[in-house]
Amino acid sequence: MTEIEEHGGVATASAADAPTEQLPPVRPGPGSAAGPDGAGAVGRLSSLETRDLSAWFGDHKVLERVSLTMAPGEVTALIGPSGCGKSTYLRILNRMHEMVKSAQLAGQVLLDGADIYSPGRRPADVRARVGMVFQRPNPFPAMSIYDNVVSGLKLAGIRAGKARRDELVETSLTQAGLWIEVRNRLRAPGGALSGGQQQRLCIARSLAVEPDVLLMDEPCSALDPTSTRRVEETIADLRGRLTIVIVTHNMQQAARVSQSCAFFLATHDTPGRIVEAGPTRQLFEDPQDERTSDYVNGRFG
Amino acid sequence: MTLIDTAASGGATGGGTAYLDADSGQVRVRPGSVTAADVGTLAGAAVGALGLVWLVYERIMPWSGALGFWLCWYVAFLFFYWGIARTQWEVRHVREKIAAALFTGAGIFVLAVLVDLVGYVWWRGEKAVSHGNFLTTDMQKTGPLDGLNSGGVLHAMIGSLEQLGLATLFAVPLGIAAAVFMSEIGGRLARPVRTVITAMTALPSIVAGLFVLGSVILALGYDRSGFAASLALTVMMMPIVTRASEVVIRIVPNTLREASYALGGSQWRTVWNVVLPTARSGLTTAILLGMARAVGETSPVLLTAGFTSGKNANPFSGQQVSLPLYVWNYVRYPQADMKVRAFGGALTLMAIVMILFVAARIAGGRRPGELSRRRRRQMTRERIRGAGPSAAAPRPPAVRPAPTAAAVIHPEPEPAS
C-alpha cells in the first residue's frame, strides 16, 4: 500500500511517530466540568487528544483525519450510524486496534500530550491507563466477583496485599454502584449476576486498575432499560473522577450522560470522519451541520 | 390430584396426561407426555414381533443363534410398530415414532455391547479377583500350575500407574503448550505443527514403541524400563491431548481475551489467568482422553518395558510390567487358572480407568464459574456471618445494613452456572 499521502505525515502504525513534535506533557487542572461529584477525585485528570488520525483495515480506509480533544474529567460521547468508524476510533485510543492483524493507522493519539503509539511504549502499559468496557458484559467466568475486580492487578503483574485488595474491591464496586448488591456474595461467580450487574462488574474491574481514561463501547446496548439507567447513573458518578469516552447508538443516552459530543459519519465510498463536534447541548439544540441536525432528530441512521 | 384421563385424550398427535387441579378445578394437561396408547402400541409391536419371530425362527426355518434371532425380532418389531401405529395416527406422526424407535434401538445396541464386554470380562475374571491375594501379591512365587490363591497383579498395577503417571507428566505440559501455541500464538508455523500432530494421532501404536526402542534403548543404550515405556506412551498420548486441548481453547470466547488485554494483561498472563482457567473443564476431558488411550496400550509397552513377574517399583531401572502386558502374557498360557488371572488383570485395568475418570471429573470437571462443594460451604458460612471477605476494610456505616434474620435463615439460592 502507499504509505505517504498528500503531505507526508502519514505512516503505518509501526512508525507512527516519525515526524512528530513532542509536546510537553499537559497537566490540566481539575476539569471545568467536574461538578460536585469531582470532590472525591484523585486530583490528576488526563486529557486525550487525537490529531489527523486515519485508520485502515488492509487497504480499506475506515477513518479519515479525525482530530478530537476529549476534555479531562468530562464524558465525551461519540455518536453516528453503524459502520462510521466510532468503535474503531475508540479501540485506537487504547491500542486495541492493533489486535486485528491488517490494522494500520496514521496520525497521533496523545494521552497527556505524549503519543501512545511511540515506539518505546508497551501496549499493555497504555491499556492499563486507558481502560475499556465492552458492548457485551464479559466478566471472567472462571473467577468470582471478587477475583474479577482484582483481575487487572493479576493480569498486569501488580502484587498487592490482601488488605489492599479488599479495599480496592470495595472502592471499585462502590464507584461502579454495585457494592451494596454484591457485598454479601463476593465469592459467587461473576457470571451468575444479571446482565446489568455484570456490566457494572466490568466497569468496576476496569476501575480497579485505576485508569486515567475509561472507554465505553456501547455499554448499554445489551442491557434492559433499568440496567441501562443504573449504568448511566454510574457514569454520572464517575464524571469528574476520570475522563470517559462513550460510544452510543442511543441519542437520548448521549444527551443524558455526555458533556461534549462528536458526530461521526461515513458514506459507502468515503471513510468515517467527524462531521461536527462540540458541547453536547449545542450539538443537539443548535447543530451547525445539516447532517448532524438530521441525525440527532432521527431523520436517518 | 386426580387422574381423570389417560388414553382418551391421546388423539392424532399424542395428547397428554391430564389431571384435575385441586385448587382451580381446571384440567391440567402435560402436553407431549407418554400416553397409554403409546405404551400399548410399543408393547403390542414388541410382543407380536417376538411371537412371530419365535415361530418362524425356532419352528419353521432351520436357523439358530441368539444374535440372528434378536436382529430378526428388531426388524419385525419395526414393521409391527409401523402397522399398529398407522391404524391410529397419520403418516408423519408415525414416521417420527419409527425414527425415535430406530435411534433408541441404536443407543440400546451400543449400551448392550458395552455391557456384554464388561460382563464377559467380569464373568471370566471374577474368580481371580475374589481371592484377596490377587490385588496384594505379584507372580514371583507363582508357577503355571498354582491355584488362584497364589499370585496376583500388584506388580502390574504399580507398573501401570507409574508408567501412566510419568506419561501424563510428560504429555500434558507438552500437549497443552502445543495447543496454546497453535490457538493463541499461531502464525505460519501453526499449520505444519497441526498437520504433524493430526498425523500423530493416527500413528500405529507399535510404531511409537519402535521409535522409543530405536532411539532410547538401542541408540542410547538405556535398559528396557518403565521410564522407556512411559516415553512410548507419551508419544501416543501427546497428540490426543494437543488436539482436544486446542479445540477447547479455541471455544473460549474472544471477548474474554479482549477484556484481559484491555486491563493491561500481556499475552502470557492472559493465557495463564483467563484462557486456561476458562477452558479447565474441557482440558480435563482432553487429558482424560489421552490417559484413556495410554493406559490400555499394549504394543508400545511390549517393546520398551520388558517383562518381569516380580515387583519393581522403580520405573527408572529394571524391567517393569504393566496391566495390558500382564493380560497379554498370561492369556496365552494353556492353564485355565492363568487365563482367569489374565481376565482378572483386565478387570483391574477397567476398574483403575474408572476410578481415575471419576477422580479427574471431581477434581477438574467443573464448568467455569461453577463452585466446588468446599467453596460453596465456605460461601454459606461467610454469608451467615453477614459480610464478605473484606469485612476488615473500613466502610461507611450507612451502606452496611445488619444481616437480617431472614437472610440468615434463608440464604439466597445458589446461582446456577
Side-chain angles (χ1 to χ4, degrees):
Chain A
M1 61 165 293
T2 51
E3 292 190 2
I4 307 301
E5 296 193 344
E6 296 122 271
H7 36 84
V10 183
T12 48
S14 52
D17 76 322
T20 65
E21 73 274 45
Q22 287 286 342
L23 296 175
V26 182
R27 282 270 167 264
S32 54
D37 295 328
V42 204
R44 194 184 67 127
L45 291 167
S46 292
S47 73
L48 195 59
E49 184 187 352
T50 63
R51 291 184 185 169
D52 288 335
L53 194 74
S54 301
W56 293 261
F57 287 114
D59 288 338
H60 178 60
K61 195 170 191 181
V62 288
L63 282 177
E64 169 79 33
R65 294 189 175 273
V66 176
S67 296
L68 183 67
T69 304
M70 285 140 278
E74 278 195 4
V75 180
T76 305
L78 311 179
I79 59 170
S82 296
C84 65
K86 309 180 299 279
S87 290
T88 304
Y89 180 74
L90 199 73
R91 289 168 68 89
I92 288 171
L93 298 182
N94 73 339
R95 298 195 64 164
M96 294 292 278
H97 179 58
E98 65 208 56
M99 309 256 309
V100 181
K101 248 194 199 112
S102 62
Q104 301 137 60
L105 76 159
Q108 286 178 292
V109 181
L110 305 176
L111 176 62
D112 287 338
D115 193 341
I116 63 170
Y117 283 95
S118 59
R121 292 190 92 155
R122 285 179 61 225
D125 295 338
V126 172
R127 293 177 193 140
R129 281 191 63 192
V130 185
M132 190 163 198
V133 174
F134 295 83
Q135 186 170 357
R136 302 200 72 86
N138 53 0
F140 298 128
M143 297 184 195
S144 65
I145 294 172
Y146 184 97
D147 289 336
N148 259 290
V149 177
V150 293
S151 61
L153 299 182
K154 218 193 225 175
L155 289 164
I158 301 165
R159 289 182 183 280
K162 183 161 166 29
R164 169 93 187 93
R165 285 203 310 271
D166 287 349
E167 191 194 323
L168 200 60
V169 167
E170 180 171 347
T171 48
S172 306
L173 285 172
T174 309
Q175 280 181 2
L178 192 62
W179 173 249
I180 295 169
E181 286 160 67
V182 301
R183 50 186 286 268
N184 287 341
R185 46 177 175 146
L186 291 173
R187 291 294 174 191
L193 299 172
S194 74
Q197 289 176 324
Q198 285 188 19
Q199 192 62 300
R200 278 179 281 145
L201 175 61
C202 292
I203 294 174
R205 180 175 69 182
S206 301
L207 294 175
V209 290
E210 291 169 350
D212 300 318
V213 181
L214 189 61
L215 310 176
M216 303 178 118
D217 189 2
E218 299 181 39
C220 300
S221 65
L223 306 182
D224 65 88
T226 314
S227 305
T228 300
R229 203 189 46 150
R230 297 286 294 116
V231 170
E232 284 180 13
E233 284 168 9
T234 301
I235 295 172
D237 288 344
L238 290 174
R239 181 189 155 198
R241 294 172 202 249
L242 73 170
T243 310
I244 295 178
V245 186
I246 178 172
V247 166
T248 178
H249 274 290
N250 184 328
M251 240 88 63
Q252 287 77 24
Q253 182 171 62
R256 283 192 299 263
V257 300
S258 71
Q259 286 79 55
S260 44
C261 204
F263 173 50
F264 282 67
L265 191 60
T267 53
H268 55 89
D269 48 356
T270 61
R273 56 171 78 223
I274 291 185
V275 171
E276 191 172 350
T280 304
R281 184 180 292 270
Q282 185 196 320
L283 217 73
F284 277 83
E285 288 171 6
D286 182 24
Q288 305 299 305
D289 194 291
E290 197 185 329
R291 290 168 296 178
T292 315
S293 158
D294 285 351
Y295 185 71
V296 298
N297 290 311
R299 278 194 281 274
F300 79 94
Chain B
M1 286 195 295
T2 329
L3 190 67
I4 56 166
D5 187 356
T6 50
S9 65
T13 49
T17 323
Y19 301 93
L20 187 64
D21 189 83
D23 296 329
S24 61
Q26 277 186 309
V27 176
R28 295 204 312 207
V29 180
R30 194 187 300 150
S33 62
V34 177
T35 61
D38 292 337
V39 177
T41 310
L42 203 65
V47 172
L50 189 66
L52 179 71
V53 170
W54 179 81
L55 200 67
V56 172
Y57 214 86
E58 302 289 329
R59 288 289 173 266
I60 299 174
M61 302 303 278
W63 299 334
S64 65
L67 195 65
F69 180 86
W70 287 112
L71 193 68
C72 290
W73 172 80
Y74 186 61
V75 174
F77 160 75
L78 289 178
F79 277 108
F80 274 60
Y81 193 44
W82 173 273
I84 301 175
R86 198 64 194 81
T87 61
Q88 316 165 61
W89 305 310
E90 56 154 330
V91 177
R92 269 177 306 166
H93 187 55
V94 174
R95 223 179 270 153
E96 212 167 283
K97 294 258 177 204
I98 293 283
L102 275 172
F103 289 122
T104 312
I108 290 173
F109 177 72
V110 171
L111 194 68
V113 169
L114 187 71
V115 169
D116 184 48
L117 193 98
V118 176
Y120 180 71
V121 174
W122 171 263
W123 174 65
R124 293 288 304 265
E126 178 263 340
K127 265 189 288 186
V129 183
S130 58
H131 287 82
N133 58 300
F134 191 69
L135 294 177
T136 53
T137 53
D138 56 27
M139 296 294 283
Q140 188 85 65
K141 300 194 176 69
T142 309
L145 297 173
D146 284 328
L148 287 172
N149 51 5
S150 146
V153 286
L154 180 67
H155 57 314
M157 273 168 68
I158 292 170
S160 261
L161 289 175
E162 282 183 355
Q163 288 168 19
L164 180 66
L166 280 174
T168 308
L169 208 65
F170 301 142
V172 167
L174 272 176
I176 292 182
V180 166
F181 166 71
M182 286 192 290
S183 61
E184 298 294 306
I185 299 169
R188 205 165 299 179
L189 204 55
R191 186 187 286 262
V193 169
R194 188 174 297 120
T195 310
V196 170
I197 298 271
T198 311
M200 275 176 81
T201 52
L203 188 75
S205 53
I206 193 79
V207 178
L210 280 172
F211 167 68
V212 173
L213 180 75
S215 61
V216 178
I217 297 173
L218 299 180
L220 298 180
Y222 209 83
D223 250 350
R224 285 167 197 241
S225 63
F227 173 68
S230 71
L231 289 182
L233 292 179
T234 305
V235 176
M236 298 308 303
M237 195 172 162
M238 200 271 286
I240 296 173
V241 175
T242 309
R243 286 297 288 174
S245 303
E246 195 203 352
V247 171
V248 298
I249 288 173
R250 263 177 198 286
I251 59 173
V252 171
N254 218 18
T255 54
L256 299 180
R257 294 187 185 90
E258 289 204 327
S260 170
Y261 290 131
L263 288 167
S266 61
Q267 186 173 33
W268 161 241
R269 286 186 195 278
T270 301
V271 168
W272 187 250
N273 290 312
V274 175
V275 176
L276 292 182
T278 308
R280 196 172 92 151
S281 163
L283 290 176
T284 310
T285 308
I287 295 169
L288 282 181
L289 279 175
M291 286 172 80
R293 176 75 189 264
V295 75
E297 281 294 351
T298 317
S299 40
V301 179
L302 188 64
L303 297 173
T304 51
F307 189 86
T308 169
S309 56
K311 198 161 59 188
N312 174 15
N314 182 358
F316 296 100
S317 109
Q319 307 201 342
Q320 193 183 42
V321 70
S322 61
L323 280 167
L325 210 49
Y326 177 97
V327 173
W328 180 78
N329 191 57
Y330 290 115
V331 82
R332 293 178 306 156
Y333 275 69
Q335 289 81 8
D337 279 350
M338 275 306 195
K339 286 198 197 303
V340 172
R341 283 197 188 95
F343 276 99
L347 205 56
T348 317
L349 185 59
M350 289 197 293
I352 286 178
V353 171
M354 176 102 162
I355 291 167
L356 278 177
F357 274 33
V358 171
R361 273 273 151 245
I362 291 171
R366 275 176 290 123
R367 296 188 174 291
E370 206 175 310
L371 298 169
S372 70
R373 201 175 292 170
R374 206 176 115 252
R375 269 243 50 91
R376 269 203 292 267
R377 277 202 303 272
Q378 197 178 333
M379 266 186 61
T380 315
R381 279 202 302 275
E382 271 167 12
R383 204 179 291 146
I384 287 171
R385 278 208 309 274
S390 60
R395 189 186 301 123
V399 296
R400 185 164 49 173
T404 60
V408 174
I409 297 162
H410 305 292
E412 291 158 68
E414 213 51 61
S417 126

